[in-house]
Coordinates of all heavy atoms in Angstrom, one line a residue:
T37 N 45.0 -46.2 17.1 CA 44.9 -47.7 17.2 C 45.1 -48.1 18.7 O 45.5 -47.3 19.5 CB 46.0 -48.3 16.4 OG1 47.3 -48.0 16.9 CG2 45.8 -48.0 14.9
M38 N 44.9 -49.3 19.0 CA 45.1 -49.9 20.3 C 46.5 -49.7 20.7 O 46.8 -49.2 21.9 CB 44.7 -51.3 20.4 CG 45.0 -52.0 21.7 SD 44.0 -51.3 23.1 CE 42.7 -52.5 23.0
S39 N 47.5 -49.9 19.8 CA 48.9 -49.7 20.2 C 49.2 -48.3 20.5 O 49.9 -48.0 21.5 CB 49.7 -50.2 19.0 OG 51.1 -49.9 19.2
E40 N 48.7 -47.3 19.7 CA 48.9 -45.9 20.0 C 48.2 -45.5 21.3 O 48.8 -44.7 22.1 CB 48.4 -45.0 18.9 CG 49.1 -45.1 17.6 CD 48.4 -44.5 16.4 OE1 47.2 -44.5 16.3 OE2 49.2 -43.9 15.6
F41 N 47.0 -46.0 21.5 CA 46.3 -45.7 22.8 C 47.1 -46.2 24.0 O 47.2 -45.5 25.0 CB 44.9 -46.5 22.7 CG 44.0 -46.2 23.8 CD1 43.4 -45.0 24.0 CD2 43.8 -47.2 24.8 CE1 42.5 -44.8 25.1 CE2 43.0 -47.0 25.8 CZ 42.3 -45.8 26.0
Q42 N 47.6 -47.4 23.9 CA 48.4 -48.0 25.1 C 49.7 -47.2 25.3 O 50.1 -47.1 26.4 CB 48.6 -49.4 24.9 CG 47.3 -50.2 25.1 CD 47.5 -51.7 24.8 OE1 48.3 -52.1 24.0 NE2 46.8 -52.5 25.6
Q43 N 50.3 -46.7 24.2 CA 51.5 -45.9 24.4 C 51.2 -44.6 25.0 O 51.9 -44.1 25.9 CB 52.2 -45.7 23.1 CG 52.9 -46.9 22.6 CD 53.7 -46.6 21.3 OE1 53.4 -45.7 20.5 NE2 54.8 -47.4 21.1
A44 N 50.1 -44.0 24.6 CA 49.7 -42.7 25.2 C 49.1 -42.8 26.6 O 49.3 -41.8 27.4 CB 48.7 -42.0 24.3
M45 N 48.4 -43.9 26.9 CA 47.7 -44.0 28.2 C 48.0 -45.4 28.7 O 47.2 -46.3 28.6 CB 46.2 -43.8 28.0 CG 45.8 -42.5 27.4 SD 44.1 -42.3 27.3 CE 43.7 -41.9 29.0
P46 N 49.2 -45.7 29.2 CA 49.6 -47.1 29.6 C 48.7 -47.6 30.7 O 48.6 -48.8 30.8 CB 51.1 -46.9 30.0 CG 51.5 -45.5 29.9 CD 50.3 -44.7 29.3
E47 N 48.1 -46.7 31.5 CA 47.3 -47.2 32.6 C 45.9 -47.6 32.1 O 45.1 -48.3 32.9 CB 47.2 -46.1 33.7 CG 46.4 -44.9 33.3 CD 47.1 -43.9 32.3 OE1 48.2 -44.1 32.0 OE2 46.4 -43.0 31.9
A48 N 45.5 -47.3 30.9 CA 44.2 -47.6 30.4 C 44.1 -49.1 29.9 O 45.1 -49.6 29.4 CB 43.8 -46.7 29.2
T49 N 43.0 -49.7 30.1 CA 42.8 -51.1 29.7 C 42.2 -51.2 28.3 O 41.7 -50.3 27.8 CB 41.9 -51.8 30.7 OG1 40.6 -51.1 30.6 CG2 42.4 -51.6 32.1
A50 N 42.2 -52.4 27.8 CA 41.6 -52.7 26.5 C 40.1 -52.5 26.6 O 39.5 -52.1 25.6 CB 41.9 -54.2 26.1
E51 N 39.5 -52.7 27.8 CA 38.1 -52.5 28.0 C 37.7 -51.0 27.8 O 36.7 -50.7 27.3 CB 37.6 -53.0 29.3 CG 37.6 -54.5 29.5 CD 39.0 -55.1 29.7 OE1 40.0 -54.4 30.1 OE2 39.2 -56.3 29.4
I52 N 38.6 -50.2 28.3 CA 38.4 -48.7 28.1 C 38.4 -48.3 26.6 O 37.6 -47.6 26.1 CB 39.4 -47.9 28.9 CG1 39.1 -48.1 30.4 CG2 39.3 -46.4 28.6 CD1 40.1 -47.5 31.4
F53 N 39.4 -48.9 25.9 CA 39.5 -48.6 24.5 C 38.3 -49.1 23.8 O 37.7 -48.4 23.0 CB 40.8 -49.3 23.9 CG 41.0 -49.1 22.4 CD1 41.7 -48.0 22.0 CD2 40.4 -50.0 21.5 CE1 41.9 -47.8 20.6 CE2 40.6 -49.8 20.1 CZ 41.3 -48.7 19.7
T54 N 37.8 -50.3 24.1 CA 36.6 -50.8 23.5 C 35.4 -50.0 23.8 O 34.6 -49.8 22.9 CB 36.4 -52.3 23.9 OG1 37.6 -53.1 23.6 CG2 35.2 -52.9 23.3
A55 N 35.3 -49.5 25.0 CA 34.2 -48.7 25.4 C 34.2 -47.3 24.6 O 33.1 -46.8 24.2 CB 34.2 -48.4 26.9
A56 N 35.4 -46.8 24.3 CA 35.5 -45.5 23.6 C 35.3 -45.7 22.1 O 34.9 -44.8 21.4 CB 36.9 -44.9 23.9
D57 N 35.5 -46.9 21.6 CA 35.4 -47.2 20.2 C 34.0 -47.5 19.8 O 33.5 -48.6 19.6 CB 36.3 -48.4 19.8 CG 36.3 -48.7 18.3 OD1 35.9 -47.9 17.5 OD2 36.8 -49.8 18.0
A58 N 33.2 -46.4 19.6 CA 31.8 -46.4 19.5 C 31.3 -47.3 18.3 O 30.3 -47.9 18.3 CB 31.2 -45.0 19.4
N59 N 32.1 -47.2 17.2 CA 31.6 -48.0 16.0 C 32.3 -49.3 15.9 O 32.2 -50.0 14.9 CB 31.9 -47.1 14.7 CG 33.3 -46.8 14.4 OD1 34.2 -47.2 15.2 ND2 33.5 -46.1 13.4
A60 N 33.1 -49.7 16.9 CA 33.8 -51.0 17.0 C 34.6 -51.3 15.8 O 34.7 -52.5 15.3 CB 32.7 -52.1 17.3
D61 N 35.3 -50.3 15.2 CA 36.2 -50.6 14.1 C 37.6 -50.8 14.4 O 38.5 -51.0 13.6 CB 36.1 -49.5 13.0 CG 36.6 -48.2 13.5 OD1 37.0 -48.0 14.7 OD2 36.7 -47.2 12.6
G62 N 37.9 -50.8 15.7 CA 39.3 -51.0 16.2 C 40.2 -49.8 16.2 O 41.4 -50.0 16.4
A63 N 39.6 -48.7 15.9 CA 40.4 -47.4 16.0 C 39.5 -46.3 16.5 O 38.3 -46.3 16.3 CB 40.9 -47.1 14.6
L64 N 40.1 -45.3 17.2 CA 39.4 -44.2 17.7 C 39.6 -43.0 16.8 O 40.7 -42.7 16.4 CB 39.9 -43.9 19.1 CG 39.8 -45.0 20.2 CD1 40.4 -44.5 21.5 CD2 38.4 -45.5 20.3
T65 N 38.5 -42.3 16.6 CA 38.5 -41.0 15.9 C 38.6 -39.9 16.9 O 38.3 -40.1 18.1 CB 37.3 -40.8 15.0 OG1 36.1 -40.8 15.8 CG2 37.2 -41.9 13.9
D66 N 38.8 -38.7 16.5 CA 38.8 -37.5 17.4 C 37.4 -37.4 18.0 O 37.3 -37.1 19.2 CB 39.1 -36.3 16.6 CG 39.2 -35.0 17.4 OD1 39.6 -35.1 18.6 OD2 38.9 -33.9 16.9
E67 N 36.4 -37.7 17.3 CA 35.0 -37.6 17.8 C 34.7 -38.6 18.9 O 34.1 -38.4 19.9 CB 34.0 -37.7 16.7 CG 34.0 -36.5 15.7 CD 35.1 -36.6 14.6 OE1 35.7 -37.7 14.5 OE2 35.3 -35.6 14.0
E68 N 35.2 -39.8 18.7 CA 35.1 -40.9 19.7 C 35.8 -40.6 20.9 O 35.3 -40.8 22.0 CB 35.5 -42.2 19.1 CG 34.6 -42.8 18.1 CD 35.1 -44.1 17.4 OE1 36.3 -44.1 17.1 OE2 34.3 -45.0 17.2
V69 N 37.0 -40.0 20.8 CA 37.8 -39.6 22.0 C 37.0 -38.5 22.8 O 36.9 -38.6 24.0 CB 39.2 -39.2 21.6 CG1 39.9 -38.5 22.8 CG2 40.0 -40.4 21.1

Side-chain angles (χ1 to χ4, degrees):
T37 63
M38 175 67 91
S39 175
E40 291 171 321
F41 181 75
Q42 289 177 323
Q43 285 186 334
M45 302 182 77
E47 70 283 356
T49 65
E51 290 78 19
I52 292 172
F53 181 88
T54 301
D57 186 11
N59 64 0
D61 67 350
L64 301 178
T65 63
D66 184 31
E67 292 80 15
E68 287 173 320
V69 170

